[in-house]
Amino acid sequence: ENWMDTVGKAIELEPDSITIYQMEIPYNTTIYKDMKAQGKIVAPVADWETKRRWVSMAFDELQRKGYTVASAYTAVKDQSNFLYRDRLWSGADLLALGVSSFGHIHGTHYQNQQDFEPYINQINAGEFPLFRSYTPSEEEKMVREFILQMKLGYVYCPYFKEKFGVNVHERFATPLQTLKDWGFGGVEGDYIRLNREGLLQVDRLLHEFFLPEHRNARYT
């Protein structure tokens, strides 16, 4: 009841875009540190089934109010575009500002210092507060863009043939078949599409498309 009341109040503000994240606990948060200190392995938030149900309820209500579901996290008013996301997920640059922020400049990914004190110290010293960086290979760039665009709920396959020279139907034949077998979507002509159930858990499903060396990596 509280959740739907919150959704209703958000809609009353009539924003062009509403973004909803299913709360998770990154390793560098206070909540996670408290969990670790107490020997707990389950975060003190709603379980994934509940979170997916809540987002689906919100999406249904947003659609009734004239919004269009544009990704796993976002609904936009009809005729609105989310250019920041669309361009970023197609390889555009992003300048990272703030503690632990991620950026992407000229093909290199980087993260700012993940703790406040070293971040501030380097800023005050006139230094770039870099914590780590990585320049991916062409294959890694292709996989990155494919994974990000899957979060839209669909991928236009000719885009990858034109930009990277890769037939993603063939390149990802095994994980695509897995998605189909699980009932979360499949190939429709030039498009790969996820249904609502697949879209609501796309972050979990995308691990099937990761390169083997990245499947158990932590991002912070």
Side-chain angles (χ1 to χ4, degrees):
E1 293 170 347
N2 181 58
W3 171 246
M4 291 309 296
D5 180 60
T6 300
V7 171
K9 289 180 178 178
I11 293 173
E12 287 176 7
L13 295 172
E14 299 184 350
D16 291 331
S17 171
I18 296 180
T19 298
I20 305 171
Y21 290 106
Q22 299 175 36
M23 185 177 180
E24 56 183 326
I25 310 300
Y27 295 110
N28 64 336
T29 60
T30 300
I31 294 177
Y32 180 80
K33 292 176 182 177
D34 289 344
M35 288 171 53
K36 188 175 181 181
Q38 298 172 28
K40 296 180 179 179
I41 60 174
V42 178
V45 297
D47 60 30
W48 287 106
E49 181 178 354
T50 300
K51 288 184 283 193
R52 287 195 288 268
R53 176 169 54 83
W54 283 347
V55 175
S56 188
M57 291 165 58
F59 280 170
D60 287 341
E61 183 64 17
L62 286 161
Q63 287 179 316
R64 281 193 288 269
K65 298 298 184 179
Y67 286 79
T68 298
V69 176
S71 77
Y73 325 106
T74 306
V76 298
K77 280 187 175 179
D78 289 340
Q79 309 305 318
S80 295
N81 295 313
F82 202 161
L83 297 180
Y84 149 75
R85 177 203 63 203
D86 294 342
R87 291 176 180 174
L88 180 64
W89 289 2
S90 298
D93 287 347
L94 176 69
L95 179 65
L97 301 174
V99 176
S100 197
S101 297
F102 289 89
H104 174 251
I105 302 293
H106 297 310
T108 293
H109 298 275
Y110 70 97
Q111 183 185 14
N112 288 342
Q113 287 288 350
Q114 59 180 349
D115 292 311
F116 188 74
E117 186 173 354
Y119 176 85
I120 292 298
N121 288 342
Q122 287 190 251
I123 290 291
N124 289 337
E127 300 173 356
F128 189 63
L130 182 68
F131 175 63
R132 58 180 173 172
S133 64
Y134 180 73
T135 302
S137 66
E138 283 301 303
E139 182 182 32
E140 289 171 330
K141 291 177 184 177
M142 182 275 297
V143 173
R144 172 185 181 267
E145 289 194 28
F146 180 87
I147 286 171
L148 289 173
Q149 292 179 34
M150 281 285 282
K151 295 169 183 275
L152 299 171
Y154 67 90
V155 168
Y156 182 57
C157 301
Y159 167 88
F160 290 88
K161 184 67 174 179
E162 180 178 345
K163 184 170 184 178
F164 296 102
V166 174
N167 183 327
V168 290
H169 288 165
E170 297 176 357
R171 172 64 175 77
F172 297 115
T174 298
L176 287 173
Q177 185 61 47
T178 299
L179 287 187
K180 181 179 179 180
D181 292 344
W182 287 347
F184 295 134
V187 177
E188 299 178 8
D190 285 337
Y191 288 86
I192 297 167
R193 296 188 185 276
L194 296 174
N195 55 29
R196 170 68 70 82
E197 188 176 357
L199 186 64
L200 291 174
Q201 52 189 311
V202 65
D203 288 334
R204 178 179 71 86
L205 301 177
L206 288 176
H207 284 264
E208 299 296 319
F209 298 89
F210 285 11
L211 295 174
E213 59 267 32
H214 297 154
R215 289 180 183 170
N216 295 312
R218 282 174 44 168
Y219 69 86
T220 187

